[in-house]
């Protein structure tokens, strides 16, 4: 019998390396298990790369298994060298505590913590490392792992030339001890991680093997790196990473990020990121083939993701701003929404408070020359805060300042500029 969950994960392309494919499938057929994924609090928000293993765990939860989410209060203080070419800077304890709190809040948007049978559990590895002594660490755990074994790991060997501190070198053992701890105390049988976590996951299995008898059975698998068909890096825009925190990446920007997915990637992302069913995704895939210009798959992806992370309200705001920018009619937007809508547009500073529109266009380099600026105005190509301005003598002044701070100028159909007055 094939396991329906495994079949679904395979179809979604979520299984990369597995320590024991058959063993894990058998386990999942026989029992409801607990499984875990960890995240280090290196920032005060997760970004969309972090959520792929989380969403995968959520799929397990929907199938009746129990997710255990580890926030690395201890490991965050050490720094995982996996997938990094240089040593990390250490964060202070206060920063880490703050980050842990922020991340915990975000996990609530993805998981169900309430279900009596298999509600998600949250753990922090600082709870078992905070008071461990050096002697205990070296005698009880250091002895379990051979240096040669550790040097065999890509994440370690690849850093030997460029430099790797003893601190980061031990990271894999610390994470391995987590797996062992969760195995013993939370009955966790499977660890999931991004593709760079293979080395750390297998160290955990090694620790479990060494501290238990033959009967101990634990598994691990990694998830492939999310890629883009054009070869550029997924999840990054010119403005940086796409964060879950709405203050860092507004719901509108978040929505736009997904909406801009290429046709070549959109079906893959629907599988990885959404909880739409196979039939629903296949129907959308069909539309990418037959009526790609309608971008229904992208719109669905963007709506699903924005709703998941920012709720109905966030989605509504994103749709409202999107519609306003598309039609050029900004009147429906509040000053606050204007700020969100234009946070990504080029902002230019001008010095004079009250400026003739033509001069302003030139000074802010919105139009390339004075002649062009005049033409733009008379042709009706210029609007100020969404209102067309065709009068060459128009003065942009305090009445045009949104929140007393900025003015939105549009040139042509889609080019927006935020003008600030200094
Ligand atoms: N090392 C993982 C995070 C992690 C930390 C502790 C663990 O036990 C598991 C995973 C990462 O950097 O993504």
């Amino acid at each position: 019998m094939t396991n329906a969950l495994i079949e679904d994960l395979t179809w979604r392309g979520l299984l990369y390396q597995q320590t024991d494919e058959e063993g894990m499938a058998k386990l999942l057929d026989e029992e409801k298990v607990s499984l875990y994924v960890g995240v280090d609090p290196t920032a005060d928000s997760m970004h969309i790369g972090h959520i792929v293993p989380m969403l995968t765990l959520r799929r397990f939860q929907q199938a009746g298994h129990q997710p255990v989410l580890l926030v690395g209060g201890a490991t965050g203080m050490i720094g995982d060298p996996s997938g990094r070419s240089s040593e990390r800077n250490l964060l202070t304890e206060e920063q880490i505590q703050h980050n842990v709190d922020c991340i915990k809040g975000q996990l609530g948007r993805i998981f169900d913590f309430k279900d009596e049978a298999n509600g998600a559990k949250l753990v922090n590895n600082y709870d078992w490392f905070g008071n461990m002594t050096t002697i205990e660490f070296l005698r009880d755990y250091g002895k379990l792992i051979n240096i040669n074994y550790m040097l065999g790991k890509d994440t370690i060997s690849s850093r030997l030339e460029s430099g790797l501190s003893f601190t980061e070198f031990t990271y894999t053992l610390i994470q391995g001890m987590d797996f062992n701890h969760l195995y013993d105390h939370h009955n966790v049988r499977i660890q999931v991680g991004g593709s760079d976590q293979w080395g750390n996951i297998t160290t955990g299995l090694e620790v479990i093997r060494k501290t238990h008898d033959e009967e101990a059975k634990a598994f691990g698998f990694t998830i492939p790196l999310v890629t883009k068909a054009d070869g550029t890096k997924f999840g990054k825009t010119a403005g940086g990473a796409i964060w879950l925190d709405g203050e860092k990446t507004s719901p509108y920007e978040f929505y736009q990020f997904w909406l801009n997915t290429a046709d070549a990637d959109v079906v893959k992302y629907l599988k990885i990121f959404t909880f739409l069913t196979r039939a629903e995704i296949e129907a959308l895939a069909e539309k990418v083939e037959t009526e790609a210009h309608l971008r229904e798959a992208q719109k669905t992806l963007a709506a699903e993701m924005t709703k998941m992370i920012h709720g109905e309200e966030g989605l509504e705001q994103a749709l409202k701003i999107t519609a306003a920018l598309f039609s050029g009619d900004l009147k429906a937007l509040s000053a606050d929404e204007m700020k969100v809508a234009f946070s990504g547009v080029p902002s230019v500073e001008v010095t004079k408070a009250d400026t003739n529109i033509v001069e302003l266009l030139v000074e802010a380099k919105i139009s390339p020359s004075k002649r062009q600026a005049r033409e733009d105005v008379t042709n009706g190509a210029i609007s100020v805060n969404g209102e067309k301005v065709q009068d060459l003598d128009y003065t942009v002044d305090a009445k045009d300042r949104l929140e007393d701070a900025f003015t939105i100028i549009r040139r042509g159909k889609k080019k927006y500029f935020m003008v600030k007055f200094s």
Side-chain angles (χ1 to χ4, degrees):
M1 180 182 116
T2 46
N3 184 286
L5 172 62
I6 297 271
E7 211 172 283
D8 183 62
L9 297 177
T10 307
W11 174 74
R12 288 179 191 271
L14 290 170
L15 300 173
Y16 184 50
Q17 285 175 289
Q18 296 189 58
T19 58
D20 173 0
E21 197 174 326
E22 272 176 37
M24 188 170 88
K26 185 159 172 284
L27 174 73
L28 292 171
D29 267 341
E30 288 168 355
E31 330 172 12
K32 296 290 178 232
V33 301
S34 294
L35 70 169
Y36 101 98
V37 62
V39 56
D40 276 345
T42 45
D44 58 5
S45 171
M46 293 192 283
H47 54 67
I48 54 173
H50 285 123
I51 65 175
V52 182
M54 305 286 171
L55 296 173
T56 305
L57 241 63
R58 174 76 181 131
R59 297 180 203 283
F60 276 82
Q61 185 175 33
Q62 288 175 333
H65 304 285
Q66 180 172 46
V68 175
L69 310 166
L70 180 148
V71 182
T75 34
M77 302 186 82
I78 312 286
D80 189 353
S82 307
R84 297 187 52 114
S85 53
S86 60
E87 192 83 7
R88 289 172 188 267
N89 292 325
L90 291 178
L91 299 176
T92 66
E93 280 186 50
E94 292 78 55
Q95 276 172 323
I96 289 179
Q97 191 48 51
H98 171 71
N99 295 350
V100 167
D101 293 340
C102 294
I103 289 172
K104 279 184 184 170
Q106 297 184 340
L107 289 170
R109 303 186 204 160
I110 297 175
F111 290 94
D112 174 0
F113 283 92
K114 299 216 178 76
D115 193 286
E116 289 201 0
N118 69 336
K121 271 198 221 171
L122 203 62
V123 297
N124 183 341
N125 57 12
Y126 194 84
D127 293 345
W128 53 93
F129 282 115
N131 291 320
M132 187 177 286
T133 65
T134 318
I135 305 233
E136 189 183 342
F137 171 65
L138 292 173
R139 286 179 65 95
D140 295 352
Y141 297 96
K143 278 282 193 191
L144 301 175
I145 298 289
N146 205 289
I147 290 289
N148 212 25
Y149 173 83
M150 291 176 73
L151 292 177
K153 301 206 175 269
D154 281 351
T155 48
I156 289 176
S157 60
S158 66
R159 282 277 298 280
L160 290 179
E161 293 284 315
S162 60
L164 176 71
S165 65
F166 181 72
T167 308
E168 287 197 8
F169 174 68
T170 60
Y171 186 100
T172 193
L173 178 54
I174 302 280
Q175 183 166 334
M177 290 161 65
D178 280 344
F179 198 174
N180 189 53
H181 177 93
L182 296 176
Y183 183 91
D184 285 339
H185 296 92
H186 294 269
N187 203 23
V188 164
R189 311 294 294 275
I190 304 171
Q191 182 178 175
V192 183
S195 56
D196 62 349
Q197 294 300 309
W198 181 251
N200 295 335
I201 292 173
T202 50
T203 303
L205 295 175
E206 185 75 3
V207 175
I208 293 171
R209 232 181 332 258
K210 293 270 173 71
T211 52
H212 297 78
D213 56 26
E214 299 275 295
E215 292 298 289
K217 263 274 165 255
F219 306 89
F221 74 89
T222 58
I223 296 168
L225 196 69
V226 181
T227 54
K228 278 170 69 177
D230 68 6
T232 58
K233 215 169 165 185
F234 168 79
K236 288 258 158 65
T237 62
I242 303 295
W243 301 97
L244 303 196
D245 180 352
E247 296 288 318
K248 293 186 195 298
T249 301
S250 69
Y252 164 70
E253 278 175 275
F254 191 81
Y255 179 86
Q256 287 295 317
F257 169 79
W258 297 104
L259 190 65
N260 286 324
T261 303
D263 290 342
D265 293 319
V266 69
V267 175
K268 183 165 78 180
Y269 296 176
L270 284 165
K271 291 177 181 171
I272 297 175
F273 289 97
T274 75
F275 293 95
L276 297 180
T277 63
R278 181 166 180 166
E280 287 166 327
I281 294 176
E282 280 169 352
L284 288 166
E286 177 80 28
K287 296 197 173 165
V288 177
E289 295 299 322
T290 57
E291 43 184 35
H293 62 286
L294 297 180
R295 299 181 77 72
E296 197 162 325
Q298 281 88 347
K299 285 179 193 162
T300 311
L301 173 67
E304 288 290 317
M305 295 313 295
T306 310
K307 202 162 52 183
M308 180 193 308
I309 302 301
H310 295 292
E312 289 285 356
E313 230 173 84
L315 174 59
E316 249 168 59
Q317 190 198 60
L319 290 172
K320 188 171 160 196
I321 296 175
T322 302
L325 290 185
F326 187 75
S327 65
D329 177 8
L330 305 180
K331 285 184 285 296
L333 301 182
S334 65
D336 221 31
E337 286 165 342
M338 286 278 235
K339 212 150 105 201
V340 170
F342 296 106
S343 66
V345 313
S347 113
V348 276
E349 297 250 348
V350 296
T351 43
K352 255 193 286 155
D354 303 339
T355 318
N356 166 267
I357 182 76
V358 174
E359 281 167 33
L360 177 66
L361 293 174
V362 178
E363 188 184 346
K365 299 200 171 63
I366 295 171
S367 304
S369 67
K370 195 155 186 175
R371 214 191 81 206
Q372 184 65 51
R374 274 208 198 92
E375 240 173 70
D376 287 343
V377 173
T378 42
N379 286 347
I382 298 298
S383 68
V384 174
N385 296 333
E387 299 278 3
K388 199 181 277 185
V389 169
Q390 281 184 286
D391 174 4
L392 288 170
D393 292 327
Y394 187 87
T395 304
V396 179
D397 56 21
K399 71 177 180 326
D400 302 309
R401 222 88 83 225
L402 299 168
E403 295 198 318
D404 277 342
F406 63 92
T407 301
I408 299 296
I409 309 260
R410 189 182 64 181
R411 175 170 183 248
K413 267 212 160 55
K414 287 232 168 85
K415 276 207 163 308
Y416 286 94
F417 299 84
M418 180 185 276
V419 179
K420 291 182 179 155
F421 299 84
S422 52

